[in-house]
Structure formats: C-alpha cells, structure tokens
Amino acid sequence: MGWNVDVVFKKSTLHGTGVFARQPIAKGTKVWAFDDSMHVCDLADLAALSREDLHYALHGGFLHHPTQKFVWYRDGQEFVNHAAAPNANIGITEWTALEEDNCTALRDIEVGEELTEDYRFWSVHGLAKDHWLYKLYADFCPGHLEFLMSLEKDARAA
C-alpha cells in the first residue's frame, strides 16, 4: 500500500467515498507514495483490461506526464476527492520521476479531516483530443473526462 499515514475511507460530503486522516498530519509529510502495487500502463495495457476495470482505472488514475504512462491503483488513493486551491490539503507542485511520485501535506491536517487534492495540477498539462488516452476516456469514462476538461478550462481562466 502507498499510504504513509493512517487513513480511513468513509462517506464524504464532497463526493461518494473520501479519505480521512486518523492522525494529525504535519505540513510536508508524504501522505502517499508510489509503490510496487501501482499499475503502470500504456495504451496496450489499458486496452487489455475488462470494461469494468478500465472504467475503474480511468476514473481513479492519472497520466504521469513525464513518462506518458497511465498510473492507477486500488489502495484507496482513488477516493481522494477534488478541492480547488487553496482548500486542497494534499498534492504535488511538480512532476517527479514515477518511482518518486507522492502526495504531500500542503498544510497541517487535523484528525478527521478529509484529504483533498487539487486535480487541476493534472489538467494544467492538458490532454489533447489526439492523445491516446483521450479516446479511452471518451469511450469508457465520458463523465470523468468532462469533469477533467472542466478543470482544465478553469485552470486556463485562472
């Protein structure tokens, strides 16, 4: 598992299931980090998934821009909900090597607080309509694609 802090998954007031701190988390703490349980995929790997697994992966994963690999997991990271800055309390501010990918506490987080990340970091880099991942999103997870594209639009407007 990629979690470096104690968390619990439960109903969120933001959306569906959320991730909540079970301990105080100090600013700068790596709350989650890439590990060997993560699925690192290219187009062929994703295309080989069942329709159900592909939808799950697309909804909860992300494109690691430096490697152009799609990363998804089943450790609960997929339940981290979006909050726009400055309300997000975990995230990254620059791309790292894939093996060093992580989410860091952006401020002190209290016990019971929901962990949220500003997904616009991903959308700032854009996903062109001719990118191999765009068609998969459009075909298998169109609602999530629409959400991600709305974040990109918001990021450009900011």
Side-chain angles (χ1 to χ4, degrees):
M1 292 294 207
W3 291 99
N4 295 329
V5 297
D6 193 12
V7 296
V8 63
F9 310 102
K10 60 184 184 179
K11 184 166 177 52
S12 168
T13 59
L14 298 175
H15 175 78
T17 300
V19 181
F20 295 81
R22 291 182 61 175
Q23 68 182 78
I25 303 170
K27 178 180 178 178
T29 300
K30 287 185 182 178
V31 297
W32 177 90
F34 181 90
D35 69 16
D36 292 338
S37 71
M38 309 315 167
H39 303 275
V40 179
C41 303
D42 58 18
L43 175 58
D45 297 325
L46 286 172
L49 294 175
S50 71
R51 185 174 188 87
E52 181 181 320
D53 281 346
L54 180 56
H55 183 271
Y56 182 88
L58 291 171
H59 191 265
F62 66 94
L63 180 67
H64 182 260
H65 283 272
T67 61
Q68 287 297 296
K69 298 289 186 176
F70 189 81
V71 181
W72 64 285
Y73 22 72
R74 291 187 184 266
D75 68 353
Q77 174 68 5
E78 67 273 22
F79 298 122
V80 172
N81 284 312
H82 168 73
N87 297 324
N89 54 20
I90 66 170
I92 59 173
T93 57
E94 65 184 9
W95 289 109
T96 60
L98 184 58
E99 301 77 23
E100 297 169 14
D101 192 47
N102 68 86
C103 281
T104 302
L106 301 174
R107 60 171 172 74
D108 290 345
I109 301 169
E110 298 177 15
V111 173
E113 188 174 347
E114 183 170 0
L115 304 183
T116 57
E117 182 175 11
D118 188 345
Y119 296 171
R120 290 183 299 174
F121 179 82
W122 174 90
S123 64
V124 164
H125 298 283
L127 184 61
K129 290 186 178 186
D130 63 348
H131 190 281
W132 62 267
L133 190 54
Y134 189 95
K135 182 162 176 38
L136 287 176
Y137 269 117
D139 291 346
F140 295 98
C141 206
H144 196 59
L145 174 62
E146 184 177 323
F147 170 68
L148 293 173
M149 292 292 110
S150 75
L151 293 177
E152 182 176 338
K153 183 179 175 184
D154 291 348
R156 282 187 302 217

